[in-house]
Amino acid sequence: MVLSKAWTLAKHFKGFPKLSDFKQQEVELPNIKDGEVLIEALFLSVDPYMRSYSSISMKEGNIMVGSQVARVVESKNSAFPVGDFVISTAGWTTHSISDGKNLQSLLCNWPEHIPKSVALGTIGMPGLTAYFGLFEVCSLKEGDTVLVNAAAGAVGSSVGQIAKIKGCKVVGCAGTDDKVAYLKQIGFDEAFNYKTVSSLEEALKKASPDGYDCYFDNVGGTFSSVALLQMKQYGRIALCGAISLYNDSAPQLGTYPVVPFILKEFRMEGFIVSRWKDKSEEALKQLMTWVVEGKLKYREQITEGFDNMPAGFLGMLKGENTGKAIIKV
Amino acid sequence: MVLSKAWTLAKHFKGFPKLSDFKQQEVELPNIKDGEVLIEALFLSVDPYMRSYSSISMKEGNIMVGSQVARVVESKNSAFPVGDFVISTAGWTTHSISDGKNLQSLLCNWPEHIPKSVALGTIGMPGLTAYFGLFEVCSLKEGDTVLVNAAAGAVGSSVGQIAKIKGCKVVGCAGTDDKVAYLKQIGFDEAFNYKTVSSLEEALKKASPDGYDCYFDNVGGTFSSVALLQMKQYGRIALCGAISLYNDSAPQLGTYPVVPFILKEFRMEGFIVSRWKDKSEEALKQLMTWVVEGKLKYREQITEGFDNMPAGFLGMLKGENTGKAIIKV
């Protein structure tokens, strides 16, 4: 008999989430049946999408959604023997029972020197988001100039580096000088702190006087209103996230450049990475290869302790992380 | 020696254009040289794009841009013999000299019973706009539910009918009850007067409770803010025009549903019909076939007299036309 801890959504977030919106519960898990496994979380992921997902698809009392890297500790399912490492969508739980449907084995031959938590980051959902957003949504071509915001985050840092691997010019924006320094360190051609520039428009123009072919948007809101006006003819915009909007209780008022959108023939697409499930193994192998070759660097911001998971989530929403925000049990 | 009349942009439009923003000029044309032709306009086109184009690409004193159906009256160019009918981008002029580069012959075998002015409408640029917007931008599929606004205009009425030909459900919005009656007459499944419904949101929901796969937007602005929220997963939006915005002197403030755009994975693209120039002859033949078969109906709003061209243009911008606004010399 195993005691599992879980974090539930105690109260729907109003504006920016508070620690008191979460509640920890303990549940005694039953014995596993044929076909089932018991898994124990090692690393848990906190991601921006959880904020928007909670409002739309969760009820109060539900366990918070999310992915984790876990180890199989009991098994009556031959596909997942004891000791195997899996990615699970069990949510914010320390232990859980699964029939295997929400589990995925870690890539074969996972190198010793790469922490398994990276399967929640650059060689996981955020890496895939960058990959498919660039290739499937932005139709990335060699020589493109790519703009990405929240660029020091798990997705953004992969976007910039993948675009560099493909021979593009990359401009990244982030919210602290340390993050900007990190972007330059991992190969961004241009990077600036959007919070301290006197004019976002001027900073974008300076970073790429000819404009941008691709805009990978993790932020939304007023940033986008300005950035769209800097796009070239046939500019492609991948709408990946809108972290500047998730905590709003009412839609933001803004200007949307509809006439330039028509005359410059922009294409903008919202996307969720699960659309390309059938291509994801191949893409993960590519991401792994780039990581092993040192072309695709990752950084993690580790919060220690399952009990600190809500605090880690809030810190990530505030932009306190450089790289992937991870909770280590 | 021929006297040509032309309408010029006397003053850049401020807000809604005024008759005094135009000035008529008369020019004596020289004799034609080898390779040139002299053409005489029969029908001239007034289109919404002229409003936005004037602000961006014209100088005061320039001849207004536009297309016309003309007859070759003198020729030293064997490609365009005297008596031939051509489409010319000569702008708002009664007579002009061309080396042939801005001329296109009317489709071969143009049927007697179809006025040649339709080469400026359903079997011309507006028809092509509908065709490519649906097939290339919206990736139209049988069974899609299609929303189109300014639906009684030259483009909108073609959009609805082509979508019907392809087995779609079509909902159209227009600004007078007469236009709505016309939409029903030409086969729209649902049509309503957006100016008189108590709630656009409710009207859109009633017309298609399951939402919309494709939204062909000729209007922009607040209409779009509401319409986008009625789109289904993977909704495709063709941004063709923004007639509600062209006369604004400052960008409109509005809400843009970024989070639904991401979660529902919308794709929105602005487009200009000239992108598919190399496919346009084939498309024109298809449009002609549908017109001849009676599957694609057209209506024209004729303003008589070249001197009344600015008035015809203003009327079109006010939405006074049902079908294609044409100036008959």
Side-chain angles (χ1 to χ4, degrees), chain B residues 152-169:
Chain B
V155 173
S157 59
S158 299
V159 167
Q161 293 180 88
I162 293 171
K164 284 303 297 173
I165 290 169
K166 288 294 168 185
C168 298
K169 174 177 170 170

Side-chain angles (χ1 to χ4, degrees), chain B residues 37-328:
Chain B
V37 296
L38 172 69
I39 64 169
E40 178 179 44
L42 302 176
F43 301 102
L44 298 107
S45 187
V46 285
D47 301 279
Y49 78 84
M50 296 166 176
R51 173 64 185 86
S52 49
Y53 186 90
S54 71
S55 306
I56 295 160
S57 305
M58 286 183 70
K59 288 180 186 163
E60 292 180 354
N62 284 173
I63 292 174
M64 288 291 296
V65 292
S67 294
Q68 56 177 241
V69 171
R71 187 169 40 203
V72 178
V73 289
E74 284 181 34
S75 178
K76 292 187 177 181
N77 181 326
S78 58
F80 300 101
V82 170
D84 259 24
F85 293 96
V86 294
I87 318 290
S88 162
T89 55
W92 296 22
T93 61
T94 58
H95 298 78
S96 56
I97 290 172
S98 166
D99 61 4
K101 281 180 191 147
N102 69 336
L103 304 183
Q104 239 184 319
S105 298
L106 219 62
L107 275 189
C108 300
N109 308 317
W110 190 277
E112 276 297 314
H113 67 284
I114 301 175
K116 292 181 177 59
S117 51
V118 177
L120 300 173
T122 304
I123 313 176
M125 183 276 283
L128 290 175
T129 301
Y131 185 95
F132 291 122
L134 285 173
F135 294 118
E136 300 286 336
V137 181
C138 284
S139 309
L140 191 73
K141 294 190 310 285
E142 191 183 333
D144 280 343
T145 299
V146 177
L147 172 66
V148 57
N149 50 23
V155 173
S157 59
S158 299
V159 167
Q161 293 180 88
I162 293 171
K164 284 303 297 173
I165 290 169
K166 288 294 168 185
C168 298
K169 174 177 170 170
V170 176
V171 177
C173 304
T176 71
D177 291 345
D178 281 351
K179 289 180 183 179
V180 169
Y182 173 64
L183 296 180
K184 289 183 177 166
Q185 185 190 322
I186 61 174
F188 279 58
D189 296 287
E190 301 283 343
F192 62 84
N193 182 342
Y194 72 93
K195 287 185 180 167
T196 56
V197 291
S198 55
S199 153
L200 177 57
E201 183 185 345
E202 290 307 316
L204 290 172
K205 279 185 175 153
K206 193 178 155 204
S208 178
D210 295 337
Y212 299 87
D213 301 286
C214 303
Y215 166 34
F216 195 111
D217 183 23
N218 296 306
V219 171
T222 50
F223 189 103
S224 285
S225 300
V226 177
L228 284 172
L229 292 174
Q230 304 308 319
M231 301 292 291
K232 297 187 202 177
Q233 192 76 24
Y234 299 124
R236 290 94 70 195
I237 301 116
L239 284 194
C240 173
I243 199 162
S244 74
L245 308 174
Y246 290 155
N247 295 306
D248 293 347
S249 40
Q252 283 188 14
L253 271 177
T255 58
Y256 222 84
V258 177
V259 177
F261 209 108
I262 297 170
L263 296 177
K264 291 191 166 180
E265 304 187 64
F266 297 155
R267 190 183 76 209
M268 180 165 90
E269 190 167 353
F271 72 102
I272 298 173
V273 63
S274 52
R275 196 196 307 181
W276 298 280
K277 221 174 222 171
D278 51 339
K279 293 185 183 181
S280 69
E281 195 180 334
E282 192 191 331
L284 285 173
K285 286 179 182 166
Q286 177 62 79
L287 293 167
M288 169 71 90
T289 301
W290 285 331
V291 168
V292 169
E293 291 172 349
K295 291 178 183 166
L296 180 54
K297 294 181 177 63
Y298 58 86
R299 192 179 277 196
E300 296 180 311
Q301 190 93 21
I302 307 273
T303 300
E304 300 269 349
F306 184 77
D307 291 351
N308 295 320
M309 190 154 183
F313 177 62
L314 269 51
M316 181 276 304
L317 285 181
K318 284 179 199 151
E320 289 171 357
N321 57 307
T322 297
K324 180 72 186 92
I326 293 284
I327 312 300
K328 187 177 176 189

